[in-house]
């Protein structure tokens, strides 16, 4: 059965180009993950704050190495795209930013991020999210990017607002964390915002 509207982005929009390195213009670079980043990611996932707001845990370096392999391969599948957020001068990993649940035909994706404990408070997540959103919307042609976080995660709500994502509402009892069901704020940014 044919669709009544054309695809917003055709298959191959991402996979036919190499995953880009994106500069924020203010000291950060978004680059594809490398195998040697595994110890940093493992250390970040030992932080109690990560356990509070994220549903994954990292039990070993081998497990994290597997994640990074998945992240590297995901680009060609056009469903998820992950970047390490690094210091432009030192290449030190400061965080992660991602497009998840990519639906090219609808021009939509969900944004996600985290910041390493030692880098929190410096606007890393907001700057990286802004840069990735600008690239996805303005250069690639996505129509809508969504961002969700637990309503109790006030820091993440500030990141969403700073990155230009409008709060659209609350998804009640939407995500199961280790401490139970969390209500989630839904933010979005669309082309032209």
């Amino acid at each position: 059965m044919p669709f009544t509207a054309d695809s917003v982005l055709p298959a191959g929009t991402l996979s036919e180009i190499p995953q880009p390195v994106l500069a924020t213009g203010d000291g950060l670079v978004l680059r594809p993950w490398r195998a040697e980043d595994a110890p940093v990611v493992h250390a970040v996932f030992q932080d109690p704050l990560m356990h509070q707001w994220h549903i994954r845990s990292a039990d070993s370096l081998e497990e994290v190495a597997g994640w990074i392999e998945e992240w590297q391969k995901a680009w060609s599948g056009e469903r998820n795209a992950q970047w390490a957020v690094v210091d432009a001068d030192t290449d030190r990993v400061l965080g992660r930013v991602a497009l998840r649940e990519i639906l090219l035909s609808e021009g939509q994706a969900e944004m996600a991020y985290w910041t390493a404990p030692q880098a929190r408070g410096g606007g890393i997540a907001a700057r990286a999210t802004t840069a990735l959103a600008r690239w996805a919307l303005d250069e690639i042609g996505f129509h809508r990017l969504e961002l969700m976080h637990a309503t109790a995660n006030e820091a993440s709500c500030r990141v969403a607002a700073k990155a230009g994502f409008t709060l659209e509402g609350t998804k009640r009892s939407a995500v199961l964390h280790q401490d139970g069901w969390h209500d989630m704020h839904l933010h979005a940014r669309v082309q032209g915002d």
Side-chain angles (χ1 to χ4, degrees):
M1 175 182 334
F3 292 100
T4 59
D6 293 335
S7 290
V8 176
L9 296 168
T13 295
L14 299 179
S15 64
E16 291 178 2
I17 60 172
Q19 184 175 357
V21 173
L22 306 169
T24 63
D26 60 3
L28 301 177
V29 171
L30 283 53
R31 64 154 170 83
W33 287 96
R34 301 176 186 149
E36 58 267 24
D37 296 326
V40 175
V41 175
H42 182 261
V44 167
F45 273 82
Q46 305 317 301
D47 177 50
L49 199 57
M50 291 295 285
H51 297 187
Q52 183 176 4
W53 304 123
H54 294 269
I55 59 174
R56 280 185 112 169
S57 65
D59 295 330
S60 68
L61 274 175
E62 293 76 23
E63 180 181 14
V64 172
W67 294 357
I68 291 174
E69 278 184 40
E70 289 173 18
W71 296 344
Q72 291 169 331
K73 293 176 184 173
W75 180 260
S76 64
E78 298 186 308
R79 296 278 299 136
N80 294 288
Q82 309 266 349
W83 283 264
V85 180
V86 301
D87 180 281
D89 295 325
T90 66
D91 198 49
R92 182 172 63 111
V93 174
L94 304 172
R96 165 252 195 183
V97 68
L99 295 173
R100 303 183 320 173
E101 308 299 328
I102 296 170
L103 296 172
L104 290 176
S105 63
E106 297 180 22
Q108 297 185 24
E110 179 185 333
M111 296 206 63
Y113 49 81
W114 51 253
T115 304
Q118 71 277 10
R120 291 186 187 132
I124 303 293
R127 291 156 49 204
T129 300
T130 299
L132 183 55
R134 187 177 309 120
W135 173 80
L137 293 166
D138 299 343
E139 292 186 37
I140 297 302
F142 279 87
H143 175 72
R144 178 182 170 87
L145 301 175
E146 294 184 349
L147 186 159
M148 286 196 320
H149 62 82
T151 57
N153 188 342
E154 294 176 8
S156 201
C157 203
R158 287 190 300 272
V159 167
K162 286 180 184 177
F165 283 74
T166 301
L167 177 61
E168 293 187 336
T170 301
K171 294 177 75 170
R172 296 178 304 121
S173 197
V175 176
L176 181 61
H177 286 252
Q178 67 180 3
D179 62 348
W181 289 97
H182 283 232
D183 291 349
M184 303 294 284
H185 273 163
L186 172 63
H187 298 257
R189 188 167 161 180
V190 298
Q191 263 191 14
D193 280 354

